[in-house]
Amino acid sequence: EYLRVKSIRQREFADKIGCSRSYVSMLIAGKKVPSLKIAKSIEDVTCGAVSAISMLDQSAHPEGEDRKR
């Protein structure tokens, strides 16, 4: 959503965070979980609008999964 709201293309964002456009596409689709380094880069580039903690927390607890395990 951040990219859409800010009118930033995946290629441009990928260049800013230091990865490929296809990797950004997979992150957006939920097919990949960012490494801590990439999650921190995303947080820095978005000035905290997308937090590293939220990305990593979502990967640990996919939607609908019982979080009490």
Side-chain angles (χ1 to χ4, degrees):
E1 184 172 342
Y2 177 86
L3 299 182
R4 183 181 54 76
V5 169
K6 298 292 187 177
S7 299
I8 299 172
R9 294 177 185 254
Q10 288 182 10
R11 161 57 53 207
E12 179 184 353
F13 191 69
D15 289 343
K16 288 181 179 184
I17 64 170
C19 68
S20 69
R21 189 219 46 90
S22 61
Y23 188 76
V24 169
S25 179
M26 287 187 277
L27 290 173
I28 291 169
K31 295 181 179 180
K32 290 281 185 185
V33 175
S35 66
L36 183 56
K37 180 180 177 182
I38 293 293
K40 182 63 175 137
S41 292
I42 292 170
E43 182 176 77
D44 291 346
V45 166
T46 64
C47 298
V50 180
S51 74
I53 296 294
S54 69
M55 286 180 281
L56 299 173
D57 186 50
Q58 284 179 333
S59 69
H61 303 290
E63 193 173 313
E65 182 178 303
D66 184 359
R67 295 182 179 181
K68 294 180 182 180
R69 289 186 204 178

